[in-house]
Amino acid sequence: MGYRPSIIFVLGVFINYFYVTDVLAKLTPTSRVCIIGAGYAGLAAARHMKNNGLNFTVFESTSYIGGTWRFDSRTGTDEFGVPLFTNQYKKLRINTPYQTMEFGGFPFPDGTVSFPSGVCFYKYLQAFARHFDLMKDIQLNSQVTWVQWTGEDWNLTYTKSDTKNNVTEQCDFVVVASGEFNNPYIPKFKGQELFKGKVLHSHSYKDAEDYRSKRVLLIGGRATGVDLAVQLSNITSKLVHSNHIFRTFKTFNPPNFPETYINKPDLKHFTPNGAVFEDDTAEDFDIVIYCTGYKYYHPFLNHLSSGITTSESYVFPLYQQIVNINQPTMTFVGVSKEIISKILEVQAEYSAALAAGKFELPPKDEMLRQWVDHVHTLRKEGFRATDVNSIGTNIDKYFATLHKEAGIQMLPPVFNMMISFDIKNILEDLVNFRDYDYKVISDTQYVKKYNPRQEVCPFNT
């Protein structure tokens, strides 16, 4: 049976197509760009807007830049009642080589460990903002609450976190770079309300020591789930780990966890003191930590005027996973799935080139046709109907397409090659994969060696 888009996709595209003003695809340089968020994606967008000589402001809801990369021991909200978007925890290290995460033209110094700590990567982002003199165009404590297309430009409303004053400004071009890791997803399980212990999402996890001698259930086996399993396995009195790792990755080589680590399949239902799993075994525990990912969250978008349909699972329709097809003076940086951080910078550079009028988009009908074709291709590649924001399996082709269309930097295949090996290495040696050093020697070659050593961060605060 061929792929048939779900009714929500069909209705969303239909409504947006016929009720949103058609903006000319050929753009001239904009007089005012507004960027939402000063994390990795927002900083990348700011840098490229500046390179193109554009007038821009970055609106950041918190008192700091860096988004999810800044560690904060607090959870919930900050001193102004603004949500804390960071999900950093102590002893976190990045899980892909820094070469796949650094900004073009601002490399890590030679000799840096290939997997620096989260603290060091945050210092790198601070150094990047200083180096390109971005701070003067970043407006902190400004939480964007509403973005609406007026028919001629965008009205962007924000609340000053410290004074609670609401301000509305006009923008000719909007970049949504608010991040993907700020709205935790917690799945529903039978009997969830019966459990008497503590429940949290990994978004609120800060320090393994908080769980010393506790009985803990981890739910989830992706990057954070396995990282927390390693951190907690020698701390807790019992660590129950419900995950799909063994079923999803046949080559997974589990570490030599202590006997207190118990691997489990999917959870069937909770009990007051624990849970029963799909293998009909039961375990008791004191704390549940959900490592179950995040949901899209764009509460500030006026969907009817913007022409964008959003949910917890998708944002559409986006041309090249970047451009709002119905209102192409709005772009998104960082909502695409299966990405490496380098993709965020490429999307930011593409957005800046578009805002500067350096290339012409296809007509609206053609952009929509290409988006629908992309959805069909994803389905053929085995993706779910809601995975419309995935780039797909050919990341190098994506890079080449953006380069050809917008004249932006072409990311060579070596980065995707490094990521592919890194994934393989994680599965084979979860405990030690970060002790490898990587070095890029050409567009298609890199070298690696096992070189465990102490980190010395080359950036100051």
Side-chain angles (χ1 to χ4, degrees):
M1 179 181 294
Y3 169 60
R4 292 183 297 174
S6 67
I7 188 66
I8 190 169
F9 294 146
V10 175
L11 287 176
V13 174
F14 179 87
I15 291 170
N16 288 335
Y17 187 83
F18 285 101
Y19 289 94
V20 177
T21 303
D22 191 7
V23 179
L24 290 176
K26 186 174 182 179
L27 301 175
T28 55
T30 57
S31 57
R32 177 81 192 288
V33 177
C34 295
I35 302 169
I36 303 173
Y40 183 104
L43 293 175
R47 182 264 191 98
H48 287 291
M49 295 296 173
K50 184 169 185 177
N51 284 353
N52 280 279
L54 296 172
N55 174 29
F56 69 92
T57 302
V58 182
F59 296 92
E60 167 57 41
S61 63
T62 71
S63 303
Y64 310 91
I65 65 168
T68 192
W69 287 103
R70 188 185 71 85
F71 175 79
D72 195 315
S73 60
R74 299 171 296 179
T75 60
T77 58
D78 65 12
E79 65 273 22
F80 300 121
V82 174
L84 288 163
F85 297 128
T86 175
N87 57 13
Q88 289 292 298
Y89 46 88
K90 288 185 178 180
K91 298 183 180 180
L92 179 143
R93 293 174 66 185
I94 66 174
N95 60 5
T96 61
Y98 70 71
Q99 291 91 339
T100 67
M101 300 179 66
E102 64 189 1
F103 296 105
F106 194 70
F108 276 77
D110 288 342
T112 305
V113 295
S114 286
F115 295 85
S117 64
V119 171
C120 185
F121 193 77
Y122 177 63
K123 292 179 180 179
Y124 169 77
L125 295 180
Q126 291 177 304
F128 172 82
R130 289 194 301 268
H131 180 80
F132 290 99
D133 193 25
L134 301 179
M135 292 304 301
K136 63 184 178 60
D137 295 303
I138 298 175
Q139 191 169 300
L140 301 174
N141 297 314
S142 301
Q143 185 175 21
V144 175
T145 57
W146 196 242
V147 178
Q148 181 172 356
W149 176 250
T150 67
E152 296 181 354
D153 53 23
W154 297 94
N155 276 350
L156 182 147
T157 301
Y158 63 90
T159 301
K160 289 295 293 178
S161 306
D162 46 359
T163 65
K164 304 305 179 185
N165 290 334
N166 293 322
V167 183
T168 298
E169 299 194 17
Q170 290 182 322
C171 314
D172 299 293
F173 196 100
V174 173
V175 179
V176 180
S178 52
E180 184 190 342
F181 305 109
N182 51 38
N183 189 28
Y185 168 67
I186 296 181
K188 301 294 185 183
F189 291 103
K190 184 179 179 181
Q192 214 163 15
E193 73 284 355
L194 300 176
F195 180 64
K196 298 178 181 178
K198 181 179 179 180
V199 177
L200 69 148
H201 190 274
S202 59
H203 185 71
S204 299
Y205 173 91
K206 296 298 177 182
D207 189 349
E209 285 296 329
D210 295 337
Y211 307 92
R212 182 171 290 278
S213 301
K214 302 291 186 180
R215 299 176 303 169
V216 176
L217 168 67
L218 281 183
I219 300 178
R222 301 195 73 174
T224 302
V226 295
D227 205 28
L228 265 57
V230 173
Q231 282 204 6
L232 293 170
S233 59
N234 290 305
I235 293 289
T236 54
S237 61
K238 179 167 74 170
L239 182 63
V240 183
H241 191 189
S242 173
N243 64 82
H244 293 153
I245 307 174
F246 293 95
R247 190 169 69 195
T248 305
F249 302 105
K250 303 302 182 184
T251 59
F252 180 62
N253 180 30
N256 292 320
F257 285 124
E259 293 182 357
T260 52
Y261 174 88
I262 303 171
N263 186 68
K264 286 293 177 185
D266 285 351
L267 189 148
K268 182 183 287 187
H269 64 83
F270 278 97
T271 65
N273 299 308
V276 175
F277 299 88
E278 291 293 345
D279 61 359
D280 289 325
T281 61
E283 296 288 346
D284 289 343
F285 39 81
D286 309 301
I287 301 169
V288 178
I289 304 177
Y290 286 94
C291 304
T292 44
Y294 294 82
K295 302 173 288 187
Y296 287 128
Y297 189 59
H298 301 98
F300 49 81
L301 284 180
N302 180 297
H303 295 96
L304 185 59
S305 72
S306 69
I308 284 290
T309 298
T310 68
S311 79
E312 297 176 348
S313 303
Y314 50 76
V315 179
F316 75 85
L318 298 181
Y319 175 66
Q320 305 290 26
Q321 301 301 328
I322 304 171
V323 182
N324 176 353
I325 293 175
N326 289 305
Q327 301 291 3
T329 53
M330 171 181 281
T331 63
F332 290 75
V333 176
V335 300
S336 49
K337 298 289 188 180
E338 288 78 44
I339 66 171
I340 60 177
S341 294
K342 279 282 191 182
I343 293 178
L344 302 183
E345 186 183 13
V346 170
Q347 293 177 340
E349 187 178 0
Y350 182 100
S351 298
L354 180 61
K358 288 192 169 182
F359 70 99
E360 184 177 342
L361 290 169
K364 181 176 176 180
D365 285 349
E366 175 61 20
M367 288 193 290
L368 189 60
R369 185 194 65 78
Q370 290 192 33
W371 177 78
V372 172
D373 287 347
H374 179 69
V375 174
H376 278 273
T377 300
L378 290 175
R379 191 62 173 171
K380 290 177 182 177
E381 292 177 349
F383 290 88
R384 299 169 301 176
T386 52
D387 289 332
V388 294
N389 293 109
S390 175
I391 286 173
T393 57
N394 195 334
I395 294 178
D396 291 327
K397 181 180 178 181
Y398 179 73
F399 291 157
T401 299
L402 298 187
H403 167 73
K404 181 179 180 181
E405 181 178 24
I408 62 175
Q409 64 177 308
M410 173 62 188
L411 288 189
V414 67
F415 296 116
N416 198 25
M417 294 167 62
M418 292 169 69
I419 290 290
S420 296
F421 174 80
D422 184 51
I423 293 173
K424 178 177 180 292
N425 208 19
I426 291 173
L427 295 173
E428 293 177 351
D429 193 0
L430 179 60
V431 174
N432 301 306
F433 77 94
R434 292 184 177 92
D435 289 331
Y436 281 79
D437 275 339
Y438 290 71
K439 184 177 182 180
V440 175
I441 58 176
S442 75
D443 285 354
T444 58
Q445 292 180 302
Y446 68 95
V447 292
K448 59 188 179 299
K449 66 176 181 178
Y450 186 66
N451 185 27
R453 55 202 171 100
Q454 191 72 30
E455 176 188 41
V456 178
C457 185
F459 301 101
N460 296 320
T461 57

